[in-house]
Amino acid sequence: MELLHYTFTLMVHTIGKSLVEKSSNMFQVLVVLCVVVCCNLTSAFAQEADILIADFEESSFSKWQQEGYAFRKGPANIKYKNTYKIKGFRGKGFASSYMDKSLKHVGSLKSPEFLVERDYINLLLGGSPFVNDAGVKLLVDGKEVLSIAAVKGYNLNETSIPVKKYKGQKAQILIYDKSPGYWGLILVDHIVQSNKKIGYEPLVLPINITEKLLIFPVAKFGTARQMDIKVDDVIIHSISVCLAMKDEDVAWWGYLDMSDMIGKKAIIALEAKVNSNIQKMIQCSAEPRLLQLQHFDKFRPQFHFSQLQGWNNDPNGMVYYDGKYHLFWQCNPLGTSWGNMYWGHASSPDLIEWTEHKRALRSGGGKGLPLNMRHDSMATGACFSGSGNIDHNNSLGLNTAEKKTLLLFNSDMNAGIAIFSSQDGINFKRWMKQYPLGLSGRDAKVVYHKPTQQWIAVSCLDNKQHGKHYPIFTSKDLQSWELKQNFLDMHECPEFLELAIDGDKNNKKWVLMEANGKYFVGDFNGEKFIPDTKEKQTTIISGSCYAGQCFSNTPDGRAVYIAWAGFDTDNTVFNQGFTIPMDLCLKTVDGGKVHLYANPVYEIKKLRRKIEIDTSTIELNKNVKVYALALAGDLYDICLSIEKKGSPKSFSLKIQNMEMTYDFESQRFDDHHVPMKGGKVTLRILVDRPTIEFFMADGYAYKLHERKNLSGSHLNKITFSAEVSGTDKVLINNFKVYPMKSILKKNGE
């Protein structure tokens, strides 16, 4: 082809030269020159144009050779894309080994032979990152010459395979899935030959740190790739992120803290798209860059705390220190999906107004990296769950006369449980003497037991010997730990605390709770926990929230609990949230059993506006079975009491798309036992933009509901209904509706 092009061009030039020599007519010269240019452009275009190998827009794989059943009878189409939110394919079809909600099938697709005529084979590729499990192979003259895997994820990314050295030879593409496991998955689309390289390549970007933050453009969608930031050869951040490579692809601007590096030069190593603008887009900034004010985000909680940006899950490290409640949580600073696992940090003097601080702990640089080669607040692996407390007896020798040390007990997933300490409540560094501590398990809740003057650590562990369980350890110095008990059949994120019964400080019990909210009440002698019952109890309804924890070291031993509220907020700068802070207490119920109660902290009442509805009694009977009231806003604190007269069958409450029904005979709200007292049961309902929270029977039971797609809209109405007959009645007493203030500041406030 190149020889033909050269011969044709030489011929045209020769003819043109001859014409020019024989004629002085300028018009003829211009015509000849135009002919020459057009011929060259046409030839160049013919040489550079992409050659399509496959776009998978047909209903079958046509001439491709197929083995196994991984790819079914034909390409996946657009209806399959939402299974794992698959994005990045072109047109309607793509090759996928994930179809019909199954990953277990294996197999391959082999293309017809083609002649290699360009420098690259370009394609869109996603799925497994493990080349031995799934990927794409290039066969030349029937022999495998290379294989590639995807960057892990459900987005199909632009990828180039260099094939210049195989020009003129016959080749085939083999798409394969050899693994029936979870990441046995390959996604491929739009395979072409091209002389243009696409995809990503390594980039090293030096930047002078002039402000406390580095801001990054986060993409609307794509696959996260590794980015490392070093200063003086020390890893400052090591994080996986999907960066936007041009302005129009920016979904939001994330940030990483560099406040202790101002005046130094950082080296950012990342993968950048070919010919991208990312070098100009990463900048220093004194403040986060917001595309929209928090207050106007329709999914943003208005009187619950929410982090400014990124994903959150478990609350961690919760502790009262230096006059403030300090809340920490697992978070992804540069993404709205699970990953990276830094620890976010906010504090509040009153559990209402929160100030978000710089992130306390950072995901790690990997095994084998010496501690002195990473930032002081950086773990080895991901920073999973843990707890916080104050070094009451100066076990680590860091206390001063003026101030005790704040300790965070973190689960470093590449090492083990470790301690990070702080003298100011904001800046944290590893306790270097022993890393990790040597406690087995993870998610350790560490409490100080005054009667025995020792530390108690309850972690979680899953092994063949005991299954899912809580090991319980003791220590005098936070350094040498002794296993005292394996408490069986418990899973993740333990909470362990002592509470007074019915307010009597001379009569206390211990509560051992797991991540799903189920718990035991019992006695603890400093070494072993003995439960009062064989069966777990329920206050926090399982499945509605998760991984709750109480603040340590609170004034007067107050037990304030916050859990992870798992609601998806697509297309926003943050994702997930937290429950309202709750006061926990123990009360004696019928039969002498001790039950854990949960109610909103009393401080929340400060956010109530002027009452909107105040009705003493609403009666539902055989003539009036449904009663609806209009509401004007979307943020509410609602209180009422339900009373039965006679033998009504049920009562239902509906708020927007959420409905709960109380069965009077079984005394259950839906599937949850909620006992009546004197023929009555109370309800307190907190309605925020993304969630609705129910506190039932004075706090006997709690359940969180998501408002789903109606977040941010007015409630319009609340509807009561009852199944009654004859003279039976249901009375709704003391019905009060308080609009709530937002804790977020509007522009200019």
Side-chain angles (χ1 to χ4, degrees):
M1 179 67 74
E2 291 178 350
L3 179 60
L4 180 62
H5 170 231
Y6 174 79
T7 303
F8 180 78
T9 302
L10 181 62
M11 181 180 68
V12 171
H13 275 284
T14 302
I15 294 171
K17 182 178 179 182
S18 175
L19 286 173
V20 170
E21 289 175 349
K22 293 181 179 180
S23 174
S24 60
N25 189 319
M26 185 59 67
F27 178 75
Q28 279 185 300
V29 173
L30 290 174
V31 169
V32 171
L33 290 175
C34 286
V35 171
V36 172
V37 170
C38 289
C39 288
N40 275 281
L41 288 175
T42 301
S43 179
F45 178 78
Q47 184 185 22
E48 295 297 328
D50 289 352
I51 302 172
L52 180 67
I53 295 174
D55 59 9
F56 303 111
E57 293 299 295
E58 298 178 0
S59 59
S60 70
F61 288 114
S62 186
K63 298 179 181 180
W64 287 65
Q65 298 176 35
Q66 187 171 355
E67 292 186 2
Y69 195 60
F71 299 93
R72 312 305 190 271
K73 295 181 179 180
N77 56 47
I78 200 166
K79 75 177 183 179
Y80 289 108
K81 74 172 185 176
N82 291 325
T83 306
Y84 272 122
K85 297 184 178 179
I86 295 171
K87 296 179 180 179
F89 58 90
R90 190 175 299 180
K92 295 182 179 180
F94 55 99
S96 170
S97 64
Y98 180 87
M99 291 174 65
D100 304 324
K101 298 183 179 181
S102 174
L103 292 171
K104 67 180 181 180
H105 296 290
V106 297
S108 65
L109 290 170
K110 185 187 290 185
S111 74
E113 278 191 337
F114 58 89
L115 189 68
V116 179
E117 301 179 62
R118 298 289 185 267
D119 292 348
Y120 300 97
I121 292 176
N122 295 340
L123 66 157
L124 302 175
L125 179 64
S128 172
F130 309 114
V131 73
N132 290 330
D133 291 343
V136 174
K137 293 181 179 181
L138 177 67
L139 310 178
V140 176
D141 293 332
K143 296 181 180 180
E144 178 186 333
V145 295
L146 60 85
S147 59
I148 61 170
V151 177
K152 183 178 180 179
Y154 301 107
N155 298 294
L156 283 76
N157 296 278
E158 292 184 345
T159 305
S160 281
I161 302 174
V163 294
K164 185 175 182 179
K165 65 181 179 180
Y166 303 114
K167 275 187 176 181
Q169 299 183 60
K170 292 182 178 180
Q172 290 173 288
I173 297 293
L174 179 70
I175 305 170
Y176 65 94
D177 179 350
K178 298 191 292 185
S179 172
Y182 182 67
W183 273 106
L185 169 67
I186 187 70
L187 308 166
V188 179
D189 196 17
H190 202 71
I191 309 173
V192 299
Q193 293 194 61
S194 178
N195 283 333
K196 181 181 178 181
K197 183 180 181 182
I198 62 173
Y200 290 76
E201 57 188 5
L203 174 67
V204 176
L205 174 63
I207 185 167
N208 293 319
I209 306 302
T210 58
E211 301 286 357
K212 66 180 180 180
L213 304 179
L214 274 176
I215 58 173
F216 299 87
V218 180
K220 294 175 182 177
F221 70 88
T223 301
R225 295 167 183 268
Q226 185 64 28
M227 178 175 69
D228 291 331
I229 303 175
K230 289 185 177 182
V231 174
D232 297 331
D233 290 327
V234 174
I235 292 282
I236 308 302
H237 293 279
S238 181
I239 193 166
S240 181
V241 58
C242 180
L243 295 176
M245 297 291 156
K246 50 187 177 180
D247 292 337
E248 55 265 37
D249 291 336
V250 177
W252 52 282
W253 291 86
Y255 67 90
L256 294 175
D257 183 80
M258 299 291 289
S259 57
D260 52 353
M261 299 294 153
I262 293 176
K264 296 185 177 184
K265 178 179 284 188
I267 304 297
I268 304 175
L270 69 156
E271 286 187 273
K273 233 175 187 179
V274 176
N275 299 320
S276 75
N277 295 325
I278 191 64
Q279 297 96 322
K280 299 178 181 179
M281 299 171 77
I282 298 174
Q283 300 173 7
C284 293
S285 177
E287 300 295 335
R289 180 181 295 180
L290 302 179
L291 299 181
Q292 176 177 262
L293 295 175
Q294 285 180 282
H295 188 85
F296 297 108
D297 188 332
K298 70 176 184 177
F299 293 103
R300 174 78 66 177
Q302 297 295 294
F303 60 90
H304 293 65
F305 170 73
S306 62
Q307 67 175 352
L308 181 65
Q309 297 176 337
W311 163 279
N312 80 261
N313 49 290
D314 304 0
N316 290 303
M318 296 166 58
V319 61
Y320 187 82
Y321 178 73
D322 200 20
K324 293 181 180 180
Y325 294 90
H326 288 260
L327 170 66
F328 303 86
W329 62 91
Q330 289 180 61
C331 70
N332 185 351
L334 296 179
T336 52
S337 59
W338 188 96
N340 290 314
M341 295 301 103
Y342 280 44
W343 272 25
H345 180 202
S347 67
S348 172
D350 58 4
L351 297 167
I352 298 176
E353 301 286 347
W354 293 89
T355 299
E356 189 168 352
H357 305 293
K358 70 178 188 179
R359 296 162 190 124
L361 305 183
R362 309 176 185 190
S363 262
K367 291 182 178 180
L369 182 68
L371 296 181
N372 62 352
M373 296 298 292
R374 68 180 80 153
H375 192 270
D376 284 344
S377 66
M378 181 177 285
T380 301
C383 295
F384 272 34
S385 294
S387 59
N389 216 318
I390 308 302
D391 193 351
H392 296 282
N393 59 351
N394 199 22
S395 295
L396 302 185
L398 301 176
N399 292 353
T400 65
E402 295 78 21
K403 189 171 289 187
K404 292 185 178 180
T405 307
L406 192 162
L407 303 178
L408 297 180
F409 300 88
N410 163 253
S411 296
D412 182 336
M413 294 310 290
N414 274 354
I417 296 168
I419 294 178
F420 289 79
S421 67
S422 175
Q423 256 59 52
D424 60 7
I426 301 296
N427 297 287
F428 290 84
K429 61 181 181 179
R430 290 178 304 274
W431 180 62
M432 299 290 290
K433 186 176 179 181
Q434 188 175 340
Y435 190 92
L437 284 181
L439 290 168
S440 60
R442 60 181 176 87
D443 304 350
K445 176 70 177 187
V446 180
V447 300
Y448 187 69
H449 190 247
K450 288 184 179 179
T452 58
Q453 296 185 344
Q454 63 181 348
W455 294 93
I456 311 298
V458 183
S459 64
C460 76
L461 191 60
D462 187 356
N463 59 27
K464 292 182 179 180
Q465 184 179 4
H466 298 297
K468 296 176 181 178
H469 68 286
Y470 285 171
I472 300 177
F473 302 86
T474 63
S475 175
K476 292 291 185 180
D477 58 5
L478 287 174
Q479 301 173 53
S480 300
W481 294 89
E482 185 176 354
L483 177 64
K484 295 294 184 180
Q485 183 181 10
N486 286 306
F487 195 87
L488 305 183
D489 190 27
M490 301 293 279
H491 185 54
E492 290 198 325
C493 304
E495 175 55 76
F496 192 45
L497 71 160
E498 188 180 31
L499 294 173
I501 301 174
D502 300 323
D504 183 359
K505 293 184 179 180
N506 295 316
N507 184 19
K508 294 183 177 182
K509 288 279 188 178
W510 284 79
V511 176
L512 182 62
M513 182 186 296
E514 60 185 346
N516 63 10
K518 293 184 179 296
Y519 63 92
F520 289 101
V521 176
D523 296 309
F524 181 65
N525 62 6
E527 292 189 356
K528 290 189 177 181
F529 173 75
I530 308 298
D532 291 345
T533 60
K534 293 182 179 180
E535 300 296 328
K536 297 174 187 175
Q537 297 176 238
T538 299
T539 297
I540 310 297
I541 303 301
S542 298
S544 63
C545 59
Y546 197 73
Q549 190 176 115
C550 291
F551 289 94
S552 301
N553 196 51
T554 53
D556 300 322
R558 183 183 183 188
V560 179
Y561 175 92
I562 296 176
W564 167 28
F567 53 85
D568 283 320
T569 52
D570 289 338
N571 301 316
T572 62
V573 302
F574 77 104
N575 194 4
Q576 312 293 297
F578 302 98
T579 65
I580 206 73
M582 309 175 205
D583 277 314
L584 303 185
C585 66
L586 291 176
K587 294 183 180 181
T588 305
V589 295
D590 292 342
K593 187 178 179 180
V594 177
H595 187 84
L596 184 69
Y597 279 68
N599 281 292
V601 293
Y602 64 83
E603 291 91 342
I604 295 300
K605 291 183 179 180
K606 298 177 185 178
L607 296 175
R608 288 176 173 175
R609 296 183 183 272
K610 183 180 179 181
I611 196 166
E612 183 176 320
I613 297 175
D614 188 358
T615 304
S616 58
T617 302
I618 298 170
E619 182 178 303
L620 300 176
N621 53 48
K622 67 176 183 178
N623 298 317
V624 183
K625 294 185 178 182
V626 179
Y627 191 94
L629 298 95
L631 298 174
D634 67 333
L635 309 174
Y636 284 104
D637 186 351
I638 301 171
C639 303
L640 65 144
S641 174
I642 307 161
E643 181 180 5
K644 72 170 186 173
K645 293 293 184 181
S647 301
K649 187 173 181 181
S650 65
F651 164 83
S652 294
L653 166 71
K654 186 174 183 179
I655 301 176
Q656 284 187 312
N657 61 328
M658 190 288 312
E659 185 172 9
M660 290 184 68
T661 299
Y662 188 76
D663 183 272
F664 287 104
E665 183 177 357
S666 64
Q667 298 189 40
R668 301 184 75 84
F669 251 120
D670 294 339
D671 295 329
H672 317 300
H673 176 60
V674 181
M676 302 192 81
K677 189 174 183 179
K680 300 179 181 180
V681 64
T682 63
L683 276 177
R684 186 166 176 197
I685 308 165
L686 298 180
V687 184
D688 206 339
R689 286 189 178 172
T691 58
I692 304 175
E693 291 171 288
F694 285 85
F695 295 86
M696 298 165 273
D698 299 317
Y700 183 94
Y702 164 89
K703 187 172 185 180
L704 172 75
H705 281 270
E706 185 182 350
R707 284 181 69 184
K708 298 187 183 296
N709 296 329
L710 297 174
S711 298
S713 60
H714 293 317
L715 295 186
N716 298 321
K717 65 181 180 180
I718 181 170
T719 303
F720 305 118
S721 60
E723 190 174 350
V724 293
S725 60
T727 60
D728 297 337
K729 300 176 183 178
V730 174
L731 303 181
I732 301 161
N733 300 320
N734 302 315
F735 179 48
K736 301 180 186 297
V737 178
Y738 300 92
M740 296 290 278
K741 301 175 186 176
S742 173
I743 62 174
L744 303 178
K745 302 299 183 184
K746 293 183 180 179
N747 192 27
E749 288 187 350

